[in-house]
Amino acid sequence: MNSVNLTPSRMFRALVSAFLMAALMPLAELPARPVQATVTRDDNMAKSLSGTEMRRDLRSPDGTEKTLVTFSDTTFASVDWTATSVLIPAAGNCSKMLAATQVSSPANTQPWARRIDTEVCGSAGSGILVINERKTPWVVKQSPSKISSIVYSYNVFHDTAVAGGEVGYSILLVQGSVKYRPITWDVASVKQWVKFPTTSAPLVATNFQKVNAMDPGPDIPDFSCKGLPISFGYVTGNSTKDKADPGYRRDHIIDDLVITVNEEPCACMAAVAESVTCASGPSGPSGCYEVELGIVNYTGQAVTHVLITPPTGTASPNVVPLQIAANDTSKKKITVTYCPPAGVTTGAFRVTLVGMPGRCEICDQSVDFALPLCAPPACVWVAKYSAKCVVGAPPGTFDLSFGMKNLLDCTPGSSLYLLPKGGVKVSPSYFKGPFPTNPANPNFVGNIRVTGANSTVFCMDVILKCGNAANCCTKTMCFTLPECWSSPMPNPTPDTTPVQESP
């Protein structure tokens, strides 16, 4: 009798490449009943002695909430588990499972454990897998959460270990009718307790493969929000070496099985500020922003409107009609005008999808966005101006006048101050109003004598001050100084200088 199992690499090749058997039986759905295993959550909101997971709403639009779901068994009562043997297809494979029972644990562990006894015989490449599943399944449902990773641990004991003898252990995932296990087997080879895995790296979907490579279905499990429910168990496997064997027995034990599923909430929608631009009013920058939002509906429900709620400032419109069919996950765009409080550099919306009739709020999400640097809101607007040479006066002497609109929310007692730059002088430098707010026609300001100009462009700061001392602004205005103008009122020169606001 050959009593030596495959080395890990040979056993792996035999168990993977030779799996040509029929599809494994799907997970049995049996009534819930009291068992020894426990299911816990780190938030202590779901505990069950029946192995059935109790979950709460995981919706967390900012994506920060995470939940741990832990399945564990330290007693392995036989009535709680099923064991299904699957033979690796090989000529004359006479392997068989002899028993799957609860036993008193060997030393150095808790009192009870689960023992699997198998006999492997047949031609080269013969072998047997034992699929161990819960009668009351340990199940994780993907919605409204997704699986980010899985960690596990167990202790194994090879009771019939001899030199070179090995048994492969692995956790089991069942999704739909497809069974998966981690790509690498944990190999029990000594007659003592060994804890697996030897590393603590969490497992993601790509770390798994089908137990039977020939089974139909996806090659890896789906951990996303759209994935089918997943149930958990464990699988063992061993095989003959490269020659026929009349049969040998392998008895091995598992204890302290713990499987922890790390969950994250699924996004019910995707909303992002795709562009944020400075908004302009009729007389220049308005101090508001045009925010274009891209929205994708993942709720699976029809959407009729989007609600926009800014934590600070104002948004318009607040209610945006937007028809999205239940299964339409294409990106939709809306544009909202956002007017923030003065001095802020970032904006935010609470974006809410609603569906009418039947259900109002179906999903919401926070959208944060940076505000670009824009010119401050215009407080003084020069509609047109005149700059004329003064005949017979020294060079650099001009007469200047301009039409001005007051765009501040001003009391009637407004006044205007002129502060020339570069050693230039102006007279008069003060004009008493009133200058009505946003008049239909510009207010005439002039005649201003400019002396000492030394370039073709003359700039000065214009201070508009309302009767309320707290309401004033400063704007730098520049004027082109020609030799002579054929028309006394040329079109305004574009203002390209920085605009400075008073505190």
Side-chain angles (χ1 to χ4, degrees):
M1 176 181 297
N2 185 346
S3 60
V4 180
N5 279 7
L6 289 174
T7 63
S9 60
R10 290 180 177 176
M11 181 182 70
F12 174 80
R13 290 195 302 270
L15 293 176
V16 175
S17 63
F19 287 177
L20 301 176
M21 66 286 198
L24 301 176
M25 295 294 290
L27 177 70
E29 295 288 345
L30 298 180
R33 49 194 293 297
V35 295
Q36 297 288 340
T38 62
V39 180
T40 62
R41 301 190 82 101
D42 64 345
D43 53 20
N44 294 319
M45 294 192 66
K47 295 183 178 180
S48 172
L49 294 179
S50 66
T52 302
E53 182 191 1
M54 299 166 60
R55 78 170 51 243
R56 62 185 177 86
D57 184 10
L58 295 177
R59 183 169 60 120
S60 179
D62 60 6
T64 58
E65 181 183 357
K66 296 183 179 180
T67 306
L68 301 181
V69 181
T70 299
F71 305 104
S72 64
D73 198 336
T74 59
T75 56
F76 286 99
S78 296
V79 295
D80 299 332
W81 289 87
T82 64
T84 304
S85 62
V86 179
L87 298 184
I88 299 173
N93 187 353
C94 51
S95 303
K96 57 186 175 181
M97 181 177 65
L98 303 176
T101 58
Q102 181 191 43
V103 297
S104 177
S105 291
N108 302 321
T109 190
Q110 297 190 38
W112 298 101
R114 179 170 170 81
R115 182 187 183 107
I116 302 293
D117 301 339
T118 59
E119 183 178 289
V120 178
C121 67
S123 60
S126 296
I128 186 172
L129 298 175
V130 179
I131 308 297
N132 297 269
E133 300 178 76
R134 301 283 306 179
K135 291 183 179 178
T136 302
W138 286 339
V139 179
V140 166
K141 298 181 175 67
Q142 312 296 90
S143 180
S145 64
K146 62 183 177 182
I147 297 175
S148 58
S149 63
I150 295 172
V151 294
Y152 72 95
S153 64
Y154 43 59
N155 294 313
V156 298
F157 190 101
H158 195 174
D159 200 28
T160 54
V162 294
E166 296 165 343
V167 175
Y169 269 86
S170 175
I171 62 169
L172 174 73
L173 276 62
V174 183
Q175 188 173 49
S177 60
V178 185
K179 293 178 170 59
Y180 301 92
R181 66 169 181 83
I183 294 172
T184 303
W185 288 97
D186 296 322
V187 179
S189 58
V190 294
K191 194 172 183 177
Q192 66 184 40
W193 285 110
V194 178
K195 185 172 183 177
F196 289 101
T198 55
T199 62
S200 58
L203 300 175
V204 296
T206 54
N207 295 132
F208 289 85
Q209 66 180 18
K210 289 189 286 190
V211 173
N212 175 13
M214 302 305 295
D215 273 354
D219 291 334
I220 62 174
D222 184 357
F223 284 3
S224 74
C225 300
K226 297 181 180 180
L228 295 173
I230 294 177
S231 62
F232 296 87
Y234 72 98
V235 59
T236 68
N238 53 321
S239 64
T240 64
K241 294 192 68 172
D242 297 331
K243 62 181 180 179
D245 199 296
Y248 58 89
R249 180 166 174 158
R250 286 291 172 262
D251 302 341
H252 39 94
I253 305 168
I254 186 173
D255 200 0
D256 306 324
L257 171 62
V258 180
I259 300 174
T260 300
V261 182
N262 297 292
E263 293 183 308
E264 294 181 2
C266 292
C268 55
M269 66 180 292
V272 64
E274 298 201 332
S275 68
V276 182
T277 57
C278 303
S280 295
S283 304
S286 66
C288 300
Y289 300 84
E290 298 294 334
V291 182
E292 184 181 65
L293 296 173
I295 297 173
V296 180
N297 174 26
Y298 293 129
T299 65
Q301 302 179 55
V303 172
T304 60
H305 293 78
V306 178
L307 309 183
I308 304 296
T309 307
T312 59
T314 63
S316 178
N318 295 103
V319 179
V320 184
L322 186 65
Q323 298 292 328
I324 307 177
N327 296 318
D328 183 357
T329 56
S330 62
K331 183 186 295 185
K332 312 296 182 184
K333 293 185 178 182
I334 62 174
T335 299
V336 179
T337 300
Y338 174 54
C339 298
V344 303
T345 58
T346 60
F349 291 153
R350 173 66 70 175
V351 181
T352 305
L353 303 183
V354 298
M356 294 291 186
R359 186 174 182 184
C360 178
E361 178 180 333
I362 57 178
C363 179
D364 65 359
Q365 178 180 319
S366 291
V367 178
D368 299 322
F369 46 89
L371 299 177
L373 182 62
C374 304
C379 59
V380 176
W381 180 41
V382 173
K384 54 187 178 178
Y385 73 90
S386 170
K388 299 186 298 182
C389 301
V390 178
V391 179
T397 303
F398 296 87
D399 283 337
L400 176 69
S401 60
F402 55 86
M404 182 272 290
K405 281 191 175 185
N406 172 15
L407 301 180
L408 289 176
D409 183 11
C410 229
T411 60
S414 54
S415 53
L416 201 67
Y417 299 83
L418 308 181
L419 284 67
K421 296 177 178 290
V424 180
K425 295 181 180 180
V426 297
S427 179
S429 59
Y430 167 75
F431 293 86
K432 183 178 180 179
F435 298 107
T437 299
N438 199 19
N441 297 307
N443 295 283
F444 177 81
V445 178
N447 295 305
I448 305 167
R449 177 62 55 92
V450 179
T451 58
N454 54 14
S455 70
T456 59
V457 176
F458 162 61
C459 297
M460 63 180 175
D461 290 336
V462 178
I463 298 176
L464 176 64
K465 184 177 180 297
C466 296
N468 177 3
N471 197 2
C472 65
C473 77
T474 301
K475 182 176 178 63
T476 300
M477 295 183 182
C478 294
F479 305 87
T480 300
L481 302 178
E483 293 183 4
C484 284
W485 286 109
S486 58
S487 169
M489 299 295 283
N491 292 327
T493 299
D495 183 358
T496 60
T497 60
V499 177
Q500 299 178 355
E501 294 286 351
S502 63

